[in-house]
Amino acid sequence: MTSAATPQLVDRFGRTVNYLRISITDRCDFRCVYCMAEDMVFLPRAQILTLEEIHTLAQAFTELGVGKIRITGGEPLVRKGALELLQNLGRLDGLNELVLTTNGSQLVNMAEALKAAGVKRINVSLDTLDADKFKAITRTGDLQQVVNGIKTAAAVGFERIKINAVILKGRNHQEVGDLVAFAVENGVDISFIEEMPLGVVAQHDRSDAYYSSDRIKADLAREFTLMPSTANTGGPSKYFNVVGTQSRVGFISPHSANFCSACNRVRLTVEGRLLLCLGNEHSVDLKQVLRSHPGDMQALKQAIIEAMLVKPEKHEFNIHEQPVILRYMNMTGG
Ligand code: SAM
Ligand code: SF4
């Protein structure tokens, strides 16, 4: 890895885009209630990018000044060849940060190889420490497997590990203190996420399940002292140090604290659609460009530069209305 190329991706609002999130599969071994319908239909193979195409796209972005790539999904580690892809991405010139978001189910076996591939930091989703609740939320997951995965990853020694927890009122909101205690015990960070209305979910009413970051903060204040952190990860999370520990607590609050003015990211779906905003449908079909101009890096880069002109100013989420975004988070690449 060398230092990032001069940033060339700037949108109409003067925001520089230097961070790409790639969903390398829409498939997953879990079926989390806020992320997917129970009977999801996944994309046929012909419709998804090959691993080589993903690599070519990532290279185009790094040549345009993108220095950070997050691999996500679906569950990225269930895609065959994911590790080889990560190894190849880890060698891209100009890529300073290769990071991963995973549900943790494969970490016991893969953590060491991921670190060797050049993955610097990982985010692992964990919403509850109660095995029955975990099964109910993920529909298919096994809590112990994920906990073992987090412990294995912590032992391997990534630069940072962060737990992501989506908090739903009446389901896991009572556990925020226990989750922070677990993070502290394992020397990792944790972010609490307000649920976003992506796709139609059947099990709960998103408006009723809304539990704001401020309520979580107030709950935590009974057990921990949180000091605002100066650390800026360049993302939507607002961080606090848990006084007396190595851990930080972050809050991703799409509803209660809009973070769009500092947005530096775009998302690539596994269908090759470049999404310019998590909460809008504005997109450009890069798979079409790639397949109609094989080997033409210049055409691809031009399409990416032009895509910046359709990046919207902000997301339009409203938790109290039916979702206008019908794509689920597994397609989007959370
Ligand atoms: N399978 C991996 C995982 O679970 O970490 C990566 C993909 S998952 C879509 C990425 C993140 O999005 C997870 O932390 C998950 O909790 C979060 N997520 C999924 N659906 C969401 C929703 N509707 N609102 C907020 N976060 C969501
Ligand atoms: Fe799978 Fe992650 Fe979605 Fe859960 S949040 S269903 S683990 S993609």
Side-chain angles (χ1 to χ4, degrees):
M1 294 189 202
T2 56
S3 58
T6 314
Q8 292 178 50
L9 299 178
V10 180
D11 76 356
R12 291 174 295 150
F13 307 96
R15 295 172 299 192
T16 297
V17 170
N18 51 22
Y19 178 15
L20 172 69
R21 297 166 81 108
I22 310 179
S23 172
I24 66 165
T25 179
D26 61 328
R27 289 165 196 260
C28 187
D29 47 346
F30 293 0
R31 296 284 183 280
C32 301
V33 293
Y34 45 74
C35 178
M36 290 192 186
E38 192 159 15
D39 54 348
M40 284 296 279
V41 179
F42 295 107
L43 294 167
R45 178 163 285 274
Q47 226 161 300
I48 68 169
L49 297 172
T50 64
L51 296 176
E52 292 71 24
E53 287 173 329
I54 293 174
H55 185 267
T56 303
L57 282 159
Q59 186 185 337
F61 275 93
T62 54
E63 289 179 12
L64 291 167
V66 166
K68 174 174 176 182
I69 292 181
R70 176 173 299 280
I71 297 301
T72 177
E75 174 46 40
L77 300 182
V78 300
R79 178 151 184 189
K80 223 165 131 227
L83 196 57
E84 291 73 15
L85 173 69
L86 284 157
Q87 284 161 348
N88 291 331
L89 294 179
R91 288 192 279 267
L92 276 178
D93 270 351
L95 186 65
N96 301 324
E97 278 185 272
L98 178 60
V99 294
L100 174 80
T101 300
T102 172
N103 66 19
S105 68
Q106 313 298 313
L107 278 180
V108 167
N109 294 326
M110 293 181 76
E112 205 162 333
L114 290 168
K115 169 103 193 303
V119 175
K120 294 253 177 76
R121 293 185 278 113
I122 58 172
N123 291 353
V124 188
S125 300
L126 177 68
D127 304 324
T128 172
L129 295 165
D130 177 302
D132 293 333
K133 269 197 217 169
F134 188 87
K135 179 70 85 191
I137 291 176
T138 60
R139 293 194 181 104
T140 60
D142 176 51
L143 173 68
Q144 201 52 52
Q145 196 180 357
V146 173
V147 168
N148 292 345
I150 292 172
K151 289 183 185 292
T152 307
V156 161
F158 288 92
E159 265 176 26
R160 273 209 118 88
I161 299 174
K162 180 167 73 90
I163 292 170
N164 277 339
V166 175
I167 299 302
L168 306 177
K169 185 161 73 186
R171 192 132 203 180
N172 62 348
H173 81 266
Q174 312 87 335
E175 279 193 74
V176 293
D178 292 347
L179 286 164
V180 171
F182 175 85
V184 167
E185 198 182 296
N186 288 283
V188 304
D189 295 337
I190 181 163
S191 274
F192 293 107
I193 306 174
E194 292 177 351
E195 186 187 14
M196 300 173 214
L198 295 177
V200 177
V201 292
Q203 268 205 8
H204 61 280
D205 179 315
R206 280 177 159 142
S207 177
D208 292 346
Y210 175 55
Y211 201 73
S212 72
S213 295
D214 282 344
R215 292 184 75 173
I216 299 173
K217 243 176 263 171
D219 294 347
L220 293 178
R222 291 198 287 271
E223 287 177 65
F224 304 94
T225 307
L226 300 184
M227 286 285 287
S229 162
T230 48
N232 176 11
T233 58
S237 238
K238 292 252 177 336
Y239 278 103
F240 294 78
N241 294 316
V242 186
V243 172
T245 79
Q246 299 295 316
S247 296
R248 293 183 307 184
V249 178
F251 297 92
I252 301 178
S253 323
H255 308 294
S256 57
N258 190 288
F259 41 63
C260 301
S261 62
C263 185
N264 64 345
R265 64 200 58 195
V266 289
R267 294 173 166 81
L268 182 67
T269 73
V270 72
E271 281 184 288
R273 205 153 75 104
L274 184 68
L275 291 171
L276 283 312
C277 172
L278 180 64
N280 280 287
E281 289 296 4
H282 302 62
S283 70
V284 170
D285 186 356
L286 292 182
K287 180 177 70 186
Q288 195 270 332
V289 178
L290 199 61
R291 292 189 181 172
S292 57
H293 301 80
D296 186 347
M297 202 52 146
Q298 210 40 52
L300 192 54
K301 280 160 71 173
Q302 194 53 39
I304 296 170
I305 291 169
E306 284 168 16
M308 296 304 123
L309 301 177
V310 289
K311 186 168 166 61
E313 188 176 8
K314 55 186 170 54
H315 71 68
E316 309 288 351
F317 289 143
N318 184 342
I319 195 96
H320 305 297
E321 289 176 1
Q322 275 300 308
V324 281
I325 304 290
L326 295 177
R327 99 186 105 75
Y328 288 94
M329 191 63 116
N330 70 311
M331 295 293 301
T332 309

